[in-house]
Amino acid sequence: MLQDAKAEEIMTSVKEQEAIRKLMVFLQEWDSAHKVARSRILDNFIKSNDGKTEPELELEFSQGASLFLARLTAWLRMTYMYSTCLDKLLKSIGIFLSAASGRRYLIEFLEIGGVLILLEILGLNHLKEEDKRESVKLLQLVADAGRKYKELICESYGVRSLAEFLATSNSAEAQEDVQVLLDSLGRGNPKYQNQVYKGLIAVLPCASPRAQQLALQTLRVMQDVVGEAPSVLVEPVLAVLCSVRLEVQYEAIQLLKALMAHEVRPALLKGLVALLTPPRKKAFTFCDETAKDPATLCLRDPVLVYIQQAAAAKAIGVLAKESAEVAEELIQLKVVHGLMVAVGNLDHMASQRHASISLEYFVHTFPFVEECIKKALGHTLFQRFMDSPETWYTKMDPVQAEELASNVVDIPRDMARMKSPDKPWTELNKQETEGSSTCLPSVLPPLPLCLLLPRGQVVWGHLDPGCTQGPWQHIAAPEPVASFALLPSKTDFGGLLNMCIMWHASSTQQGLKIKRQNLFRVIFITLLSTLIPGHEEREAAVFTALRHA
């Protein structure tokens, strides 16, 4: 037994010595090899060791794997600027860094300044995109090791290097790898997450649509992590709306939706509305490339301004439909005027289409907008708009377009502050003395009014004869609670009172509890009062009749 054990020990020793000898031969071969021979050695190493764990690599190199890694990193430091088998060299180092349980390999690589070398590779213009992509993959392996390694990359000016590479790279695959890495650096890295966020903002003005798209995606994902968005984000986000790529515009609009819950919302909405009215009569100019080759169309600012106008009109429609509060803020910013200007832009059909669709939403949602638009367009043109908002502008002549482009529609701010349709009549009864009571004569108590509009819409309001904007101050626009036809122009006052009683019965059936004494303080009229001759006098008579009733 003792002899067998001793013999086995000798055999093991012999095997170990043979393995060590093979390792020494391999290392000597590497040390004496030139470029071509080393390239062949790297090919064999990648082929036979890809995906191995740390114990497996140590077994392969007789517990001397770190010796070969040291040689790889030393050669990388000496040759990375000259692209000497750089892609194979980086892949070989990646086998060590990605090995399970191979944290010590990562530490050894970092100790020789591996992160700085990888980042410097990204900034060398003469290197191939494949080499830079491999460098990004190694940086990803470093970042995946944990928070302190992410901080190491950021402390080494990694965010700036990665952002520059994302903006200038011609490889879509490499750009996607950079996006994943930046997203990783922005998560679980509170010390530098704002730096990553600002680095992505810096990418937005670049000339690469793919880089813009990826940066916008990552900014939207990071928004919840970062919290409040900085004000420097406003201008770059609005600027990318001039991109001719629809995928870039889509991502920009998605980011705008995410930013509506933050303090930058007023600035973004103001900027969007301003984009609807670009400078007029600006001559078209072309890039130098167009002058050299007429077949290559490269339009400058004017066309891009119109593309930006169309995208802004589209974004406004999306944002308004997402939130009634946002829609009201847009109206205060005179978005209706801007949308009409865009509809009148005969030089860019996309602007007309998106502006018309967005304008349709405001018209259907806010009755006072409908009134203003109808007055501005006239009956015929307004009817065309209502019948087919997506195509009516195609039948517009230059005179009509000029009228739209130079319109002066101005909705009073008090009307624009009208709240969302979420207050029932019972709440309005409780608040009937608020807001308009100071404008009313002392002999007449505040009158909450119900205005019947086309298509069965109902608007709640207060009579406010003392205000300069007119007697009607709208404060809510709920869903219709009863369906009545529009009042004929010669409706008698008795018929009007009968309709009030019918409305009271209808509202009772629908569960709306209204005080009996408030019944005769409800008046049905149409917003198109200006079309009815002598309507103001009839209103006064109606009020008198109701008070006596």
Side-chain angles (χ1 to χ4, degrees), residues 209-252:
R210 183 59 176 165
Q212 291 175 327
Q213 180 187 6
L214 295 174
L216 289 167
Q217 286 178 354
T218 311
L219 284 169
R220 175 165 53 87
V221 172
M222 286 189 63
Q223 194 57 58
D224 292 336
V225 178
V226 174
E228 198 54 56
S231 58
V232 295
L233 176 64
V234 174
E235 184 176 350
V237 171
L238 295 178
V240 296
L241 291 176
C242 69
S243 174
V244 297
R245 304 288 288 271
L246 294 179
E247 61 269 23
V248 176
Q249 293 184 14
Y250 171 81
E251 294 298 340

Side-chain angles (χ1 to χ4, degrees), residues 522-538:
V522 179
I523 302 174
F524 288 82
I525 68 170
T526 172
L527 274 180
L528 306 180
S529 58
T530 56
L531 302 180
I532 304 176
H535 193 65
E536 293 181 358
E537 291 76 11
R538 293 175 61 223

Side-chain angles (χ1 to χ4, degrees), residues 102-148:
R103 181 62 61 91
R104 67 189 184 98
Y105 298 144
L106 175 62
I107 295 174
E108 291 171 3
F109 177 70
L110 298 179
E111 287 177 346
I112 60 97
V115 168
L116 292 174
I117 295 174
L118 296 177
L119 293 173
E120 191 169 352
I121 288 173
L122 299 179
L124 297 177
N125 296 329
H126 63 279
L127 296 182
K128 296 181 293 184
E129 291 286 322
E130 293 80 1
D131 298 337
K132 296 181 180 181
R133 187 184 178 191
E134 290 298 328
S135 179
V136 172
K137 290 180 179 180
L138 293 189
L139 288 169
Q140 184 67 64
L141 292 173
V142 175
D144 290 342
R147 173 177 170 178
K148 67 177 183 179

Side-chain angles (χ1 to χ4, degrees), residues 27 32 47 55 65 68 102 152 185 194 245 363 366 392 405 423 438 450:
L27 295 177
S32 60
K47 183 177 180 180
F68 185 51
L152 176 61
L185 293 175
N194 287 328
R245 304 288 288 271
V363 167
F366 300 93
W392 72 289
K423 289 189 176 181
T438 57
C450 180

Side-chain angles (χ1 to χ4, degrees), residues 429-453:
N429 279 340
K430 298 177 183 178
Q431 300 174 6
E432 61 185 10
T433 58
E434 296 180 5
S436 61
S437 59
T438 57
C439 298
L440 293 170
S442 57
V443 297
L444 184 65
L447 286 175
L449 305 177
C450 180
L451 313 184
L452 185 64
L453 308 179

Side-chain angles (χ1 to χ4, degrees), residues 350-362:
S351 291
Q352 293 180 289
R353 180 175 182 273
H354 291 305
S356 181
I357 294 173
S358 297
L359 190 61
E360 178 196 19
Y361 171 77
F362 285 99

Side-chain angles (χ1 to χ4, degrees), residues 131-408:
D131 298 337
K132 296 181 180 181
R133 187 184 178 191
E134 290 298 328
S135 179
V136 172
K137 290 180 179 180
L138 293 189
L139 288 169
Q140 184 67 64
L141 292 173
V142 175
D144 290 342
R147 173 177 170 178
K148 67 177 183 179
Y149 298 99
K150 294 179 182 180
E151 292 179 352
L152 176 61
I153 294 175
C154 295
E155 290 169 357
S156 304
Y157 302 97
V159 174
R160 183 177 66 182
S161 299
L162 290 168
E164 290 177 355
F165 179 54
L166 175 61
T168 58
S169 175
N170 297 320
S171 169
E173 294 81 4
Q175 289 176 317
E176 291 174 1
D177 290 339
V178 174
Q179 180 207 21
V180 173
L181 178 53
L182 286 171
D183 180 68
S184 176
L185 293 175
R187 296 174 181 270
N189 186 17
K191 186 176 180 180
Y192 291 100
Q193 63 186 18
N194 287 328
Q195 184 184 102
V196 176
Y197 190 87
K198 292 179 180 179
L200 290 166
I201 295 176
V203 175
L204 296 181
C206 75
S208 169
R210 183 59 176 165
Q212 291 175 327
Q213 180 187 6
L214 295 174
L216 289 167
Q217 286 178 354
T218 311
L219 284 169
R220 175 165 53 87
V221 172
M222 286 189 63
Q223 194 57 58
D224 292 336
V225 178
V226 174
E228 198 54 56
S231 58
V232 295
L233 176 64
V234 174
E235 184 176 350
V237 171
L238 295 178
V240 296
L241 291 176
C242 69
S243 174
V244 297
R245 304 288 288 271
L246 294 179
E247 61 269 23
V248 176
Q249 293 184 14
Y250 171 81
E251 294 298 340
I253 293 175
Q254 295 304 307
L255 179 57
L256 288 172
K257 288 169 61 177
L259 292 171
M260 288 298 100
H262 299 276
E263 293 182 0
V264 295
R265 182 171 81 181
L268 288 171
L269 295 181
K270 183 178 180 181
L272 284 172
V273 174
L275 294 178
L276 296 175
T277 53
R280 302 182 62 197
K281 298 181 180 179
K282 190 176 179 181
F284 286 93
T285 55
F286 298 88
C287 298
D288 296 336
E289 289 78 359
T290 305
K292 297 177 183 177
D293 183 7
T296 304
L297 183 61
C298 181
L299 298 177
R300 277 187 179 164
D301 288 345
V303 169
L304 296 181
V305 165
Y306 291 156
I307 293 173
Q308 195 175 28
Q309 181 190 49
K314 182 178 180 180
I316 285 171
V318 172
L319 297 177
K321 292 173 184 177
E322 287 283 323
S323 168
E325 185 179 353
V326 169
E328 292 165 10
E329 290 183 30
L330 286 167
I331 293 175
Q332 293 182 43
L333 294 170
K334 301 184 178 181
V335 71
V336 175
H337 165 75
L339 290 173
M340 291 184 67
V341 171
V343 173
N345 183 6
L346 293 179
D347 294 323
H348 196 63
M349 187 171 291
S351 291
Q352 293 180 289
R353 180 175 182 273
H354 291 305
S356 181
I357 294 173
S358 297
L359 190 61
E360 178 196 19
Y361 171 77
F362 285 99
V363 167
H364 282 297
T365 306
F366 300 93
F368 54 84
V369 173
E370 180 179 5
E371 179 187 13
C372 294
I373 296 299
K374 188 169 185 178
K375 289 179 181 179
L377 295 181
H379 178 74
T380 302
L381 201 58
F382 179 76
Q383 195 58 47
R384 290 181 186 175
F385 166 64
M386 297 300 291
D387 292 341
S388 182
E390 295 189 9
T391 58
W392 72 289
Y393 54 84
T394 59
K395 302 176 182 179
M396 190 184 302
D397 58 47
V399 175
Q400 293 170 331
E402 180 63 24
E403 290 178 356
L404 284 176
S406 58
N407 80 87
V408 290

